[in-house]
Amino acid sequence: MHAFLRSSAAFLLSTSLTAPAFVTPAFAAAPAAMKQAAVADVDAHAKLVQEMVDTVFSYGEPGFQEFRTSAYLTDILKKNGFKITMGVAGIPTAWTATWGEGGPLIAMGSDEDDLRGLSQIPGDPRIEPLVPGAPGHGEGHNAGMPLQIAAALAVKDVMEKNHIKGRLMLWPGIAEELLGAKAFYVRAGLFKDVDACVYVHVGSFFTTLWGQMGNGMVSAEYTFHGKTAHAAADPWDGHSALDGVEIMDSAWNFRREHLELSQRSHYVITNGGDQPNIVPSTASVWYYFRDHDFASVKHLYDLGNKTAQAAAEATDTTVTHKLLGTAAPIYSNRPMAEALYENIKTVGMPAWSADDQTFAREVQTTNKLKLAPLADKVMPLITPELAAAFGAGGASDDVGDISWNVPTVMMMFPSNIPNTTPHHVLAAMAMATPIAHKGAVAGAKAVAMTVLDLMTTPELVTQAKDFFTNVQTKDQKYVSMLSEGDEPAIHRNDEVMEKYRPLMEPYYYDARKYPSYLEQLGIDYPNPPATIRRPAGAKK
């Protein structure tokens, strides 16, 4: 989803388009004194935010391997009075943290996972891995849950002091890059009693949106089964599973010409056989099928299954497929977005220092990116009209499944540098620097204020539910792509962390010894480091 929102931001900030005049919601927002107290509480936790952002960055755990990250974050919440439930929806690294009683139940979530192969030294504008080949936060997911935790702690303090009834439920986006968990959360009933959900994602800008955005998606792996033979002596006795994969891919690429322009489909061959002189008996290919609505995604998925079966018949092989993840198109709730946007405007952009702007410019110039300073104004509220003027985006986020089951609002917070490439090490360079810390603190303030609005003004919750029922789901209903036998792909990335975790552990951030992760690494921000401080025995 980051790619679409990043491009939308660049478009909106570079044109004369402005959001429609904001209409004050027909409800009384939370008392100003309560909001001011929440903002002060977030500021009081700014050091904790920095430590959480840096620690999660240093753990660098990809989808379904967020063991250190989940244990660390839930320990903080447990110490602050939240009840922790681990292993929800059959996912070992997934959890919920709940607090409160009575009143509305407000869910607060963001993602934890990172991406394979994107290790990067933070605070360094040059492409330089901390551990070559290891995973890294090239999407910035290390900042979202720290933001939500700071917001939740602030809301909890205000509610306790003012005797406000209500409940909080924090939840993590496990394996978001695989679209691997949130549909299973929904199926397991995690959001059954939730009144509203606030979800946040990192960006280089500060705004929210309402309406439908991005694509729905199915992630599926097709495994062909054939028969081995000597590839030179008697290849006629073999049935190549790899031939099945390649014919499927070729057939799909020919079919693209006759698919809707809105679709996005892409694949990687995950298993191509063992060695050239053995006809492969097993080969696999992993596909993502994306489009704008439920019916179109299902059509692509059905077509993929049909194409795989045809390729198997053409090669005298058999084929099985496994659904690895799914995501509904995202739908962000209008009344909640308008209330949240008022709070974003009140908070405003972080006060960037000269060092912050210098580092952002260094990243852009060193990597030949389009120059743009860290923004000093919040973005317009993204409406369907503004999104349509920009054009449709192809990215996905499995928060979409939650958004079709409970009123949900999505907020983007400014913890990264403009024009960096998502799913690339460029997007990791700032994610353990003051830019990431300040953006998360600003975002936590806006979320805390909005959750207080939801807790203290029943009219807002009613309006959100009315919009959900009578606008969002009036003509389009949620369709889960999961079948009864589909289960979370919890063993994904096992082999990656078995290889890299021992190499990454010496670089875990120790907040007891160092004020920041940059200081632990010996980086004089914003100056590019000649080298970094590597722990004794650590391999470069």
Side-chain angles (χ1 to χ4, degrees):
M1 196 63 194
H2 186 191
F4 165 59
L5 295 171
R6 181 180 70 97
S7 301
S8 300
F11 172 80
L12 292 171
L13 292 173
S14 65
T15 68
S16 59
L17 285 172
T18 58
F22 180 80
V23 178
T24 302
F27 61 87
M34 289 187 188
K35 290 188 174 184
Q36 291 168 2
V39 167
D41 196 287
V42 172
D43 280 329
H45 285 106
K47 174 59 179 171
L48 176 62
V49 171
Q50 172 262 309
E51 291 179 359
M52 290 190 289
V53 168
D54 288 2
T55 300
V56 176
F57 182 95
S58 74
Y59 288 160
E61 294 176 310
F64 295 117
Q65 303 301 312
E66 307 95 339
F67 292 100
R68 298 289 181 93
T69 301
S70 290
Y72 168 72
L73 295 177
T74 55
D75 183 61
I76 292 170
L77 287 162
K78 184 177 181 180
K79 290 176 179 176
N80 282 277
F82 283 76
K83 177 186 175 182
I84 308 300
T85 303
M86 295 298 304
V88 297
I91 301 171
T93 56
W95 50 271
T96 60
T98 55
W99 173 87
E101 60 181 15
L105 174 58
I106 309 302
M108 304 165 65
S110 191
D111 302 319
E112 285 189 6
D113 61 323
D114 70 359
L115 290 149
R116 292 166 59 150
L118 296 189
S119 176
Q120 169 65 29
I121 297 172
D124 189 342
R126 304 161 302 184
I127 295 175
E128 181 75 24
L130 198 61
V131 176
H137 277 285
E139 177 81 344
H141 285 176
N142 59 302
M145 282 313 299
L147 180 162
Q148 292 285 36
I149 290 172
L153 296 181
V155 170
K156 175 177 175 286
D157 287 347
V158 171
M159 290 177 67
E160 287 177 327
K161 291 174 183 176
N162 292 275
H163 309 290
I164 298 170
K165 293 289 186 180
R167 295 160 290 156
L168 301 173
M169 183 182 84
L170 278 77
W171 57 271
I174 296 300
E176 186 277 336
E177 300 296 357
L178 304 175
L179 288 305
K182 299 186 186 91
F184 294 101
Y185 289 176
V186 170
R187 188 175 74 178
L190 262 66
F191 294 88
K192 181 169 60 72
D193 298 320
V194 169
D195 292 289
C197 178
V198 181
Y199 175 75
V200 302
H201 195 287
V202 67
S204 59
F205 46 92
F206 201 8
T207 191
T208 185
L209 58 95
W210 70 266
Q212 186 168 320
M213 304 282 175
N215 277 337
M217 196 198 86
V218 166
S219 164
E221 186 172 47
Y222 297 87
T223 299
F224 290 79
H225 308 274
K227 178 186 175 184
T228 62
H230 194 298
D234 64 339
W236 43 81
D237 284 335
H239 301 294
S240 174
L242 180 58
D243 285 353
V245 165
E246 292 186 303
I247 287 176
M248 178 185 179
D249 294 344
S250 180
W252 188 264
N253 288 328
F254 275 106
R255 188 63 182 262
R256 289 180 194 275
E257 180 183 358
H258 310 288
L259 298 175
E260 295 288 343
L261 294 177
S262 57
Q263 73 87 27
R264 302 287 191 274
S265 53
H266 22 272
Y267 59 84
V268 293
I269 296 175
T270 52
N271 175 15
D274 295 316
Q275 61 188 65
N277 65 337
I278 302 174
V279 175
S281 63
T282 305
S284 302
V285 60
W286 182 6
Y287 271 78
Y288 278 12
F289 302 109
R290 310 186 198 239
D291 213 327
H292 286 349
D293 55 59
F294 295 102
S296 298
V297 173
K298 186 177 187 305
H299 171 69
L300 290 174
Y301 186 31
D302 290 344
L303 185 57
N305 295 341
K306 180 179 178 181
T307 303
Q309 187 59 45
E313 293 179 8
T315 54
D316 279 333
T317 61
T318 59
V319 64
T320 57
H321 74 271
K322 178 178 175 58
L323 186 144
L324 300 177
T326 179
I330 298 171
Y331 202 110
S332 191
N333 185 272
R334 181 173 184 173
M336 291 171 64
E338 291 177 340
L340 172 56
Y341 190 65
E342 285 298 285
N343 292 323
I344 288 172
K345 290 193 297 182
T346 298
V347 173
M349 292 297 290
W352 306 119
S353 69
D355 285 348
D356 298 332
Q357 295 287 8
T358 295
F359 180 69
R361 187 169 58 252
E362 281 294 318
V363 169
Q364 293 166 349
T365 56
T366 300
N367 296 286
K368 298 180 173 57
L369 306 177
K370 183 178 179 180
L371 294 179
L374 298 171
D376 60 359
K377 296 179 181 178
V378 301
M379 250 182 68
L381 172 68
I382 302 177
T383 66
E385 292 78 15
L386 291 183
F390 162 71
S396 310
D397 191 310
D398 54 350
V399 74
D401 286 77
I402 297 170
S403 74
W404 285 94
N405 285 274
V406 60
T408 300
V409 67
M410 182 174 183
M411 182 190 81
M412 285 64 67
F413 62 97
S415 280
N416 217 323
I417 294 171
N419 300 325
T420 54
T421 304
H423 291 201
H424 190 281
V425 294
L426 295 174
M429 291 173 174
M431 288 310 303
T433 72
I435 295 171
H437 308 149
K438 293 174 184 178
V441 167
K445 293 175 181 179
V447 169
M449 294 165 71
T450 304
V451 173
L452 285 172
D453 285 336
L454 291 163
M455 289 293 185
T456 60
T457 54
E459 298 91 344
L460 176 56
V461 176
T462 298
Q463 289 177 14
K465 291 181 176 181
D466 180 69
F467 182 87
F468 177 83
T469 301
N470 296 314
V471 178
Q472 178 183 343
T473 62
K474 179 181 179 182
D475 299 315
Q476 187 173 191
K477 305 298 182 183
Y478 175 66
V479 178
S480 176
M481 296 296 172
L482 299 179
S483 64
E484 186 176 345
D486 292 326
E487 297 296 336
I490 60 175
H491 298 298
R492 283 278 161 178
N493 296 318
D494 278 355
E495 77 292 347
V496 171
M497 292 311 286
E498 182 179 352
K499 176 180 179 180
Y500 286 109
R501 194 183 294 280
L503 303 177
M504 298 166 66
E505 285 176 339
Y507 294 99
Y508 288 171
Y509 174 46
D510 187 346
R512 298 167 300 178
K513 292 184 179 180
Y514 299 97
S516 72
Y517 194 38
L518 295 184
E519 294 197 37
Q520 179 172 320
L521 296 174
I523 295 173
D524 181 22
Y525 177 83
N527 302 309
T531 184
I532 65 168
R533 184 185 296 123
R534 295 189 180 273
K539 296 181 180 179
K540 179 178 179 181

